[in-house]
Amino acid sequence: MRISVCSLGEETNVRFLEQVKLAEQLGFHAFMHADEKWTRDPYVRIAAATRMTSRIGFGFCVTDPYTRHPALSAQACATLAELCPGRLRVVMGAGSHFETLPTISNPKPVKGIREGIDLMRRLWKGERVTMDGEFVKFKAGKLDFDPQAIPEMYVASRSPLILALGGEIGEGVLIGSFATAPGIEYAKGHIQKGLTRANRTWKDIQLCSWVYVTILDREDEEIPDNIKRGMSHAFWSSRKTMTEMVDKLSDDDVTPEFRKFLHEAPHEWSPEVMAELRRLMPRSIFNTMSVVGTAKQVIARLKSLAAVGIQETIIWPFPKPGQDVEDLLIQLGHEVLPHVIERPKREAYRLVD
């Protein structure tokens, strides 16, 4: 299995670059960057990071086809790929938090993602493209340079139709926030529909899972509040899908109060609603969406993901109280990675008399 890490863009630029260098030294596969609205710009930061590294991969995790026109994304991503040939991926999803951009929304994300990826790939091939799609409009345009490197294109989601789209057209699929076998098998069932539709097999795609990770000192420790906050936002962004899957994902610890909340709570992201969601969400649901435990437990959980077909886990590291992100990366690099990733083969170090 490959293990990658992701930034949401909250740390300063200097600290981000230091974390990227550290992750490369520790042996992480890639350092992905979320394309969230109004955090630090991932294009600027990844460009800077390419100049300080030689091996580690990069990517957007995730971007969407609405906030930026896909032609502009194609231009920017081809430029970045030229800075780090073979090391850049674009992970596209439905997007979220459009409330601050009232002229932008994602009413039919399957069509938007399909059209966006199609345009980007055609521009990367050097084509002059006219597209009159339902969401993507482009008239007789082409890139004014020949791309020197082509990024891989992944599709990310928890929703059935977008997972199927990933199986149909993606070079990889990123399963959002499922960290146990039932969630992965649910996602694979929908991805298979897309593979079948396109006459493809599992050999044609890479299968990844995005999870939240915290290493605890003891098995019985409480889940830290920061990771609960992250998981609650992931759960709420796919409220319909997650509500339908509650019984499949839980260990019979779902309360009537939690079920009522899922069906009756306002469709909003207010602090009050999110706090109540965190209060009511059972531990088994948190475990479904995260890898939280001692180092030994984290190793076992990651191996269980590999056993159900996950080839790469992209982790969002959540340090426990008193710990920095850098501390957690070092702990993962020393205590977890040697047990779950394939280390590069090197000659033995020998002293010569």
Side-chain angles (χ1 to χ4, degrees):
M1 176 186 280
R2 299 182 297 275
I3 305 293
S4 300
V5 66
C6 184
S7 166
L8 197 64
E10 296 175 333
E11 64 283 311
T12 65
N13 294 328
V14 171
R15 190 174 181 187
F16 168 74
L17 295 174
E18 291 297 328
Q19 288 178 1
V20 171
K21 289 195 295 183
L22 176 63
E24 181 172 68
Q25 291 166 352
L26 290 169
F28 286 92
H29 175 68
F31 206 117
M32 311 295 284
H33 200 299
D35 192 8
E36 294 285 335
K37 293 170 180 65
W38 319 134
T39 59
R40 290 173 176 82
D41 185 84
Y43 289 85
V44 173
R45 281 153 66 97
I46 290 176
T50 66
R51 300 298 81 203
M52 305 176 67
T53 58
S54 61
R55 179 198 60 79
I56 197 166
F58 296 106
F60 303 100
C61 182
V62 298
T63 192
D64 69 70
Y66 305 100
T67 307
R68 299 178 184 85
H69 194 285
L72 296 176
S73 295
Q75 174 194 30
C77 292
T79 304
L80 276 179
E82 190 173 319
L83 289 171
C84 55
R87 292 197 283 152
L88 184 70
R89 282 177 287 175
V90 182
V91 185
M92 186 175 286
S96 62
H97 299 296
F98 293 101
E99 60 273 6
T100 55
L101 300 168
T103 62
I104 298 176
S105 64
N106 60 346
K108 295 182 180 179
V110 174
K111 285 195 173 183
I113 294 169
R114 183 188 293 276
E115 291 174 3
I117 290 177
D118 183 38
L119 176 58
M120 292 175 71
R121 283 175 167 166
R122 291 174 66 184
L123 290 173
W124 288 338
K125 291 178 181 178
E127 296 182 24
R128 182 174 296 277
V129 183
T130 293
M131 179 177 288
D132 187 22
E134 187 169 344
F135 297 100
V136 178
K137 312 288 184 181
F138 195 66
K139 185 176 180 179
K142 69 183 296 293
L143 296 180
D144 288 338
F145 64 97
D146 295 325
Q148 301 300 298
I150 305 299
E152 292 184 313
M153 181 67 77
Y154 285 41
V155 175
S157 189
R158 283 180 289 271
S159 75
L161 294 179
I162 301 178
L163 288 170
L165 179 67
E168 182 182 350
I169 69 172
E171 289 163 289
V173 179
L174 176 58
I175 300 169
S177 306
F178 285 134
T180 58
I184 300 301
E185 293 299 344
Y186 150 84
K188 288 175 66 176
H190 293 293
I191 295 168
Q192 180 63 64
K193 295 176 184 177
L195 292 173
T196 300
R197 194 158 60 217
N199 196 28
R200 305 171 80 197
T201 71
W202 290 103
K203 294 181 179 180
D204 296 311
I205 65 169
Q206 293 293 304
L207 191 61
C208 311
S209 183
W210 158 282
V211 297
Y212 308 86
V213 174
T214 295
I215 298 180
L216 304 177
D217 295 322
R218 304 184 317 275
E219 294 184 12
D220 59 352
E221 275 188 78
E222 183 66 24
I223 297 175
D225 287 340
N226 60 354
I227 198 168
K228 284 186 176 181
R229 185 171 288 106
M231 286 186 287
S232 65
H233 278 263
F235 187 100
W236 213 234
S237 68
S238 299
R239 177 179 178 176
K240 182 177 183 297
T241 298
M242 299 304 292
T243 298
E244 292 172 352
M245 294 184 64
V246 157
D247 290 321
K248 182 180 293 187
L249 299 175
S250 68
D251 293 333
D252 298 325
D253 57 353
V254 177
T255 64
E257 188 180 10
F258 182 54
R259 294 183 192 277
K260 182 179 180 181
F261 176 84
L262 293 180
H263 291 286
E264 298 181 4
H267 292 274
E268 61 183 43
W269 295 81
S270 68
E272 296 77 17
V273 168
M274 300 311 296
E276 186 68 357
L277 175 62
R278 289 192 291 274
R279 184 183 75 83
L280 295 173
M281 192 181 296
R283 179 143 188 164
S284 64
I285 298 296
F286 279 119
N287 288 339
T288 291
M289 305 177 72
S290 68
V291 176
V292 178
T294 63
K296 184 177 180 180
Q297 288 176 312
V298 169
I299 291 167
R301 291 285 304 280
L302 292 174
K303 287 183 176 180
S304 71
L305 286 174
V308 291
I310 295 299
Q311 296 157 294
E312 178 182 1
T313 300
I314 299 175
I315 68 171
W316 186 2
F318 277 83
K320 62 192 175 189
Q323 188 181 49
D324 289 330
V325 170
E326 291 83 354
D327 298 326
L328 179 54
L329 293 180
I330 292 170
Q331 189 176 10
L332 285 164
H334 291 170
E335 299 179 21
V336 175
L337 262 60
H339 301 281
V340 295
I341 69 172
E342 183 177 343
R343 290 286 191 174
K345 294 182 179 179
R346 301 184 176 95
E347 293 182 4
Y349 182 77
R350 296 178 298 166
L351 293 174
V352 180
D353 293 329

